[in-house]
Amino acid sequence: MAPHRGRLHRRRSVPAAPGGHGRARGGRRHVSRARGDGPCPPPAPGTGHSPGRDGRPGTCRCHRLPAAPGAMLILRCPARLQRLEDALRRSLPRALPAPVDDCYWNLQAAFYRDVGAYRALLETPGCLRWDAAFHIFGLQDGVATVSQDIAAAKGVELEVTEYYTYLHPDPSTLPEPQLDPDVRVGTLSPAHAELLDATWAYGGNARSRQYLGELLERFPSLCLLDRAGEPLCWVLTDGFAAGAHGFTLPSQRRRGLMRVLTVLAARRALARGFPTYGHTATGNGAMQRLQEALGHRRLPGLCRFVLHNPALARAAP
């Protein structure tokens, strides 16, 4: 999964277009060309794009889509790539640069094979805004040391927070959760952002509330509700598909609520084809013991979240 060179990474997959495939009678699969694409443009040098044998519009290889439902498409056709870019810009405005004091959305995941290449990437002019508040996180030691070296040369302040990363190898083996009859499973909405912000150690400002509200709007969440419909315990999913922001109200602890929610969240991730993983604070012994009891494996080393320019982040409204 690691790239050849150091890279700051946020990966998005492109689902297959509905209507581009189906099944014929008798179970035989057939592929229909996606409609509305029109003729392909002339091939650009080095794109590998070429028309079909008969030269007719829409007969090139990039128009013959895979028939497997839910298959990820590898787009090489310039016309399709342009349509994808236009669609992302319309529907994902938050993928564009965040404000300089927003350390919540200014978040980068770092992976590298060669720490020297990673260092050269961060030192490349324009790669990062070193005058902004932003996080870089990763499981490799060089993620923190490279930032520390460059920040020292630039006079940039850093804060490093360490976590353990847990991964469950096979959520299908998890035990059946036993739910208290007074509790039911639900989901959170952006209306709960104030509650989550008030119970989050890194919250307490307008940026954090906006961040939590957008997480709740864009990504899955699970919670356990009391008879009145009030949340007692919850788990969110962040932009990297990791379990995040797990919390149980102090008055509701020692009831096994987080155990139930951890199992339910793992099963849901499995059903959607996502890995079951998350980051746990090194001082949170209770959550570490729970995950290990359920069969989660702690990955070697530490995951370090490196906050650059924390004073700027704290000055946010």
Side-chain angles (χ1 to χ4, degrees), residues 205 261 266 284 304:
N205 58 73
L261 210 53
N284 191 346
R304 295 177 175 89

Side-chain angles (χ1 to χ4, degrees), residues 126-209:
C127 174
L128 292 169
R129 286 199 58 178
W130 289 89
D131 61 341
F134 65 93
H135 279 96
I136 298 179
F137 79 95
L139 287 164
Q140 295 162 289
D141 292 340
V143 171
T145 57
V146 169
S147 279
Q148 289 166 344
D149 293 345
I150 298 176
K154 293 180 177 291
V156 172
E157 183 186 1
L158 297 180
E159 285 184 1
V160 181
T161 308
E162 296 179 335
Y163 294 85
Y164 295 126
T165 298
Y166 282 90
L167 172 72
H168 201 292
D170 186 5
S172 67
T173 63
L174 287 168
E176 189 69 28
Q178 302 297 318
L179 195 61
D180 189 306
D182 293 332
V183 174
R184 61 184 176 88
V185 180
T187 59
L188 298 172
S189 74
H192 293 106
E194 292 280 352
L195 171 63
L196 272 62
D197 188 67
T199 56
W200 188 31
Y202 303 102
N205 58 73
R207 293 277 190 234
S208 62
R209 289 187 290 275

Side-chain angles (χ1 to χ4, degrees), residues 29-302:
R29 299 197 310 186
H30 71 278
V31 181
S32 59
R33 182 172 66 86
R35 299 177 180 175
D37 293 334
C40 291
T47 62
H49 178 273
S50 61
R53 292 182 180 177
D54 55 7
R56 289 186 295 108
T59 60
C60 64
R61 291 182 62 189
C62 67
H63 281 78
R64 297 198 292 272
L65 306 181
M72 185 177 74
L73 301 182
I74 306 300
L75 301 182
R76 296 185 177 89
C77 170
R80 285 184 176 278
L81 289 169
Q82 184 60 56
R83 289 177 59 201
L84 173 62
E85 179 181 350
D86 293 343
L88 288 174
R89 288 186 175 276
R90 288 194 304 271
S91 61
L92 296 174
R94 288 290 173 182
L96 302 177
V100 295
D101 60 353
D102 189 347
C103 66
Y104 302 101
W105 281 120
N106 282 329
L107 177 63
Q108 311 287 342
F111 307 88
Y112 62 83
R113 287 183 177 175
D114 180 351
V115 69
Y118 175 65
R119 182 185 299 272
L121 174 65
L122 263 63
E123 290 176 338
T124 301
C127 174
L128 292 169
R129 286 199 58 178
W130 289 89
D131 61 341
F134 65 93
H135 279 96
I136 298 179
F137 79 95
L139 287 164
Q140 295 162 289
D141 292 340
V143 171
T145 57
V146 169
S147 279
Q148 289 166 344
D149 293 345
I150 298 176
K154 293 180 177 291
V156 172
E157 183 186 1
L158 297 180
E159 285 184 1
V160 181
T161 308
E162 296 179 335
Y163 294 85
Y164 295 126
T165 298
Y166 282 90
L167 172 72
H168 201 292
D170 186 5
S172 67
T173 63
L174 287 168
E176 189 69 28
Q178 302 297 318
L179 195 61
D180 189 306
D182 293 332
V183 174
R184 61 184 176 88
V185 180
T187 59
L188 298 172
S189 74
H192 293 106
E194 292 280 352
L195 171 63
L196 272 62
D197 188 67
T199 56
W200 188 31
Y202 303 102
N205 58 73
R207 293 277 190 234
S208 62
R209 289 187 290 275
Q210 181 182 20
Y211 166 76
L212 291 169
E214 291 183 354
L215 277 188
L216 293 171
E217 182 179 11
R218 297 166 184 263
F219 301 105
S221 67
L222 276 177
C223 68
L224 296 179
L225 307 169
D226 63 14
R227 289 184 179 275
E230 296 297 324
L232 306 175
C233 176
W234 53 83
V235 172
L236 277 63
T237 306
D238 69 14
F240 293 91
H245 304 278
F247 188 82
T248 304
L249 295 178
S251 62
Q252 303 297 322
R253 292 174 184 171
R254 300 186 181 277
R255 296 180 58 188
L257 299 181
M258 184 56 74
R259 180 185 181 91
V260 170
L261 210 53
T262 299
V263 172
L264 294 175
R267 290 185 170 185
R268 182 185 62 181
L270 175 66
R272 296 184 176 186
F274 290 101
T276 298
Y277 82 105
H279 311 293
T280 301
T282 56
N284 191 346
M287 193 63 191
Q288 294 167 32
R289 290 189 294 271
L290 170 60
Q291 292 182 97
E292 290 165 8
L294 290 172
H296 292 73
R297 295 177 182 174
R298 194 170 85 187
L299 301 187
L302 293 167

